[in-house]
Every structure is written in structure tokens, then in C-alpha cells.
Amino acid sequence: MSIQKKFFIYLFLLVILPLLLASSIILSKASEIIGSKSREAVFQSFKQTQFRLNQIVSNAENLSLKVLGNEDVQQLSTLNEQSSQYEFVMHTNGINFFLQQELKMQPYIKFFLLVKGQNLIYHFGTYKENVNAELLQKAVDNNGIPLWAHNKDDVFLVRAINDINKFKLLSIEVLNVDERALEQAYTENDVWATSQTKIIDESGQIVSSINKSEIGTNINNQSYVRSAMRGSEGYFQMMVDEKKMSVFFYTMNNGWHVLKIIADSQINEPQKFLKILIMVAILICLLFGVVFSVIQNNGIIRPIKLLKREMDKVKRGNLEIQIQNQKKDEIGQLGFQFKEMALDLKDLIEKVYTSELKEKEAKLQLLSMQINPHFLYNTLDSIRWVAIKSQVDTVADQLEVLSNMFRYSLKQEHYFTTVQQEVEHVNNYMRIMNFRFNYIYEFIVDVDENTLQLECPHFILQPLIENSIQHGFIDMVLEGCIQISIKQEDSLIRICVEDNGAGTDEKRIRRMLDSDETESGYALRNIHNRIQLKYGTGFGVQFYSQIGKGSKVDIMIPVVKRISSM
């Protein structure tokens, strides 16, 4: 990693990151406090509507209580068909006068009804239709306790009137409260333009809302409604219609719930100024960081990069150093000393490099040539045994194969051949071995066609076949089997030579491959060293063996295409 990158990393880790973390923590805590205070202020403002709504409810219930004890109401409720018209008119006028006085203070009451049985015996104000029988029966069941109800257009207070002396049901009073009066009560002084406020009853039905089309809708299936109905008052945050909202609620005296929903984005509006201040502070700090980076780049990093550029030239073999540095600091001294060192080592590096190349080439040639005496000896020995046992025709066949093998060996000054030529050579060798041992060996070759024209070192298969015959099958009575498999695996060629011979000590052979032993395993180590000298330490020979089950040799070489065949 470059020093410039390190400086930027240190700047980020020690200045920018702590600043961002501190800003984030401050912003988070400040937002939390401001948000909490804002919600508390909204809730207290919202709670002020509770008094007005409860006042409407209390006034209506008090009026119904006064009606219950009004003498004219009591008397009118006892009249029947035998009663005189005079009594009916007198009590009706008395109730009219009473209600006119009372409703001056409660203009939100639209009408008043008295129902006896299923018959309307009195009404004050304009009404659209009769109250349904089910609601009247609920009022009777409540036995004089006020019952609040509603439909799509109206809000009702229904109450049974009993005889104050005999406690016997006389009639049922119905007060109609204007829903718009409820709306006015909770929308007064509401500064939140997009807020939603609504009143719901105990079942979750909407009693009152700014959106009149919602009235009568049951919203108890909404999670925020159920949460609000479980408490008496308070506020909480919740996702509503995939938006984060703050929900404020309280309960009215008649058991209904008032909900106010405001988007968090509105409540958090005051936090924008704080965010702007923090962002400005961060930008100022970043500006100082940029200035610092420019200064340290010109004073420190640039001279180091110039020095690195000259070092890269040396790495590529160019020792002509051009460093014009007049500074007397540590970086300037380092550049001067490097220039002196490069000039002193220039000639020496060239000599050593040239010498190593020649030495490596000579060593590779020597290792390749060391195999020939073994090959010639074994081949001539095979011909001798065939001549003893066979007629002239057999010798002729052996000589033909031998001539092919000699011709192939003469090409080893090139050190490398193709996979196809190496396989043909080892096939010729196995023909001679089978002539010699009366065809007791099964020889199987499996080669990918796409590997035939790829580069392969000379004489890496024949020594392995020799090892299998001379060491693996030496004491075997049954026929031996030697398999050669050559496959391409991505950018590698895997050559596998496997036999079913007697096997050997795998650990000893592996130690030999990694050491300079000469008493055994010469062919394996020879092949291993040649491959590593040519291709590097990532390639070479791997040996596997199990006594009594045979041996396996894996050779890994890179895929190299031959430019021309030899």
C-alpha cells in the first residue's frame, strides 16, 4: 500500500471517521430529544381539545338528566288516548319553553325526540327519520344510563325516562348532537396541515372525521387503532400506510377515543436546521483535511513517489538513475544514497544475471543428457534377449523400433518436444519391453486430443515406465498393468503414470524428491528438477504409493503451445 493511501487512511480513520461518528451520535441524540419534546408539545396541544369535547358530552348528558326530571316530560309521557287535548298541548308547550331556554347555550343539539313504545310523542327541531328500534331497546336495557350512538350522519344520546316516583319506564328521550360541532372542537387551533384527526367508538367505527366519507367505517383492523384503544391517553410511533407516523390519542368521558395522526417528517421539521449546522461543520473539517492532504502530498508523498519511480526503473533493469533532489531532509538523503548504490551495482548485476542464465542453461542440458546412458543400456539389453529367444524377424522389428527411439533421442538438444511425440516414444519403448518379456505387460494410454500439440519436456515418461517394470513388477507372477493419462485442467497439464505393481515406501521417495540423495530415485528426481528449472517451483512431480497395491506418479506442467514441431 502506498504512503499516499496510508496518509488518506489515517486521515479518514483519525479525523473524518471520528467526526462522522460524533456527528452521527450528536444528531441522533439531538433528533431523539427534539423529536420527543416536539411530540410532547403536540400531545399537550391535542389534549386541549379533550376539554371541549368532554364539555359537549357532559352538557348533553346534563340536559338529558334535566329532561328526565322535567315535570312536563313526566306528565306528557303518562298521557294516553283517554287524556284530553288540553293536557297534551299544555305539557308540549311546557317542554318547548324548557328546551328553548336550554338550547340557547347548546346550539349544537339539532333536535330532541320523546318516544313511547314505538310511537313518537314529541319532537323539537327537524329530524329526518325515526330512531331504529334496536337502539331504543338498548336504551331500555341501560335502565336510565345515557347511551351514545351514531350512524352515517348523526350522533345520538339515547336515555330511558322512568317515573320518578314509581321507577317505571315512561318513555325514551333522544338528543341529536351535530357532528360538525365535534369536528370544530378537535380542529380548532390545529396547526398541522396534513394531520388526520378522528373520533371512534368502542368498536372501532369512525364517529367523526374531517373526511366525511370515512364516517361509519370500522378501522379496528388497523394496528395503530388497536394500540390506541388499549390505553387511556398517550402517543406512539408506528408505520401507517407504509409511512412512519406519530399517533396521539385520548379517551372521552363517554368511552369514545380521539386519534390524531401526524407524519414524523412534519414533526421532525425543526431538526433540519440542526442537520444543516452539522453538515457545515463536517464540510469545514473536510476542507481542512484536503488542505492538509495537498501540503503533505507536495512535501512528503511526491518526493517518495519520484524515488519509487526510479526504483521501478531499477527493477526493470534500467540502472540509469535520474534523481534531482536538493532537499537535505531524510527523503533527500535516501534518494542520494539510492542513486549511489544503483551506480555501484550496475555492472555487478549485469554480470551476475548473465552468469546465472548461462549456468541454468548448462545445468538443464546436463540433466537432460544424463538419461541417455540408462536408455541405451536397457535398449541394447532388450535386443540381446530377443536375439537369443527369437528369429531374425523379431530382431528386425526391434531394430525398427530402436531406430525410431534413437531418432527421437537425437532431438533432445532442444530439451522440449510435444505431448504426441513423447507418447509415441514411450509406445516404442513398451513394444521393446513386451518383446523382451513375452507380452506380460498391459499398456493403456489415455490422452486428450487437445493436448497432443502442447509442449512437453523430453524423456519424462520413459524413465517412469522403466521404474514400474524394474521395481514395481520385479517379483510379480501375474501380468502387470501400466496406465498413462494426460489431461488438460484449465491452464495445467496433468500427466499421470500408474501401475499395479508391488508399491514402495511413499514417504522415503517423497523425501528423496526434496533432497540431494543419489543412491535411489534418480529418474524421478531428475524429471522433478528439470521441470522446476524450466517452469518454476509451482510445478513438478508428486509420488503416491501403497505397498502391495501399486504406485502413481503425477506430473504437473503448464499449458504451453508449441510454435513449431521438431
Side-chain angles (χ1 to χ4, degrees), residues 93-111:
N93 290 335
I95 297 172
N96 286 340
F97 177 78
F98 166 75
L99 289 176
Q100 287 172 356
Q101 298 301 314
E102 290 293 333
L103 296 186
K104 287 180 180 179
M105 302 301 296
Q106 300 181 55
Y108 43 80
I109 295 180
K110 294 165 62 177
F111 62 81

Side-chain angles (χ1 to χ4, degrees), residues 56-152:
I56 294 174
V57 170
S58 298
N59 288 344
E61 290 182 353
N62 289 336
L63 176 59
S64 72
L65 188 61
K66 290 180 181 180
V67 168
L68 185 148
N70 183 270
E71 184 177 352
D72 289 314
V73 173
Q74 289 276 322
Q75 291 298 323
L76 182 63
S77 299
T78 61
L79 296 180
N80 53 37
E81 294 178 355
Q82 286 76 33
S83 301
S84 67
Q85 185 67 24
Y86 171 77
E87 289 180 298
F88 179 79
V89 173
M90 181 181 67
H91 293 308
T92 298
N93 290 335
I95 297 172
N96 286 340
F97 177 78
F98 166 75
L99 289 176
Q100 287 172 356
Q101 298 301 314
E102 290 293 333
L103 296 186
K104 287 180 180 179
M105 302 301 296
Q106 300 181 55
Y108 43 80
I109 295 180
K110 294 165 62 177
F111 62 81
F112 171 82
L113 305 178
L114 269 181
V115 181
K116 185 176 183 179
Q118 296 297 323
N119 300 316
L120 178 65
I121 61 173
Y122 175 84
H123 70 88
F124 184 90
T126 304
Y127 69 99
K128 297 179 182 178
E129 57 186 20
N130 293 332
V131 182
N132 67 54
E134 184 180 354
L135 182 58
L136 295 176
Q137 185 57 48
K138 286 182 180 180
V140 173
D141 295 339
N142 260 21
N143 197 25
I145 298 174
L147 173 65
W148 285 91
H150 64 93
N151 58 24
K152 185 68 176 175

Side-chain angles (χ1 to χ4, degrees), residues 141-207:
D141 295 339
N142 260 21
N143 197 25
I145 298 174
L147 173 65
W148 285 91
H150 64 93
N151 58 24
K152 185 68 176 175
D153 301 311
D154 298 304
V155 177
F156 302 101
L157 186 152
V158 186
R159 191 169 195 169
I161 299 177
N162 296 320
D163 190 319
I164 59 176
N165 296 316
K166 299 178 181 179
F167 298 102
K168 178 183 176 183
L169 178 66
L170 296 177
S171 61
I172 299 171
E173 60 174 307
V174 180
L175 286 172
N176 177 264
V177 178
D178 191 348
E179 183 272 333
R180 290 174 297 180
L182 301 178
E183 178 190 340
Q184 184 179 2
Y186 60 69
T187 55
E188 260 184 348
N189 303 321
D190 188 358
V191 297
W192 304 96
T194 60
S195 66
Q196 305 174 36
T197 307
K198 57 194 73 176
I199 300 175
I200 60 174
D201 63 14
E202 296 89 338
S203 66
Q205 272 196 339
I206 297 177
V207 178

Side-chain angles (χ1 to χ4, degrees), residues 25-38:
I25 293 171
I26 292 171
L27 181 59
S28 176
K29 292 297 181 182
S31 298
E32 184 180 338
I33 294 171
I34 294 173
S36 177
K37 294 294 184 183
S38 298

Side-chain angles (χ1 to χ4, degrees), residues 39-49:
R39 290 179 184 85
E40 184 63 30
V42 173
F43 179 65
Q44 293 303 324
S45 174
F46 175 57
K47 280 268 291 180
Q48 291 177 11
T49 64

Side-chain angles (χ1 to χ4, degrees), residues 315-341:
K315 184 179 179 180
R316 293 191 297 268
N318 183 1
L319 296 177
E320 299 296 332
I321 305 300
Q322 297 178 353
I323 298 179
Q324 305 295 330
N325 194 347
Q326 304 298 326
K327 292 186 176 181
K328 303 299 182 181
D329 57 13
E330 289 83 353
I331 297 176
Q333 294 176 12
L334 181 63
F336 176 78
Q337 292 176 6
F338 173 73
K339 183 177 181 179
E340 291 295 315
M341 179 192 68

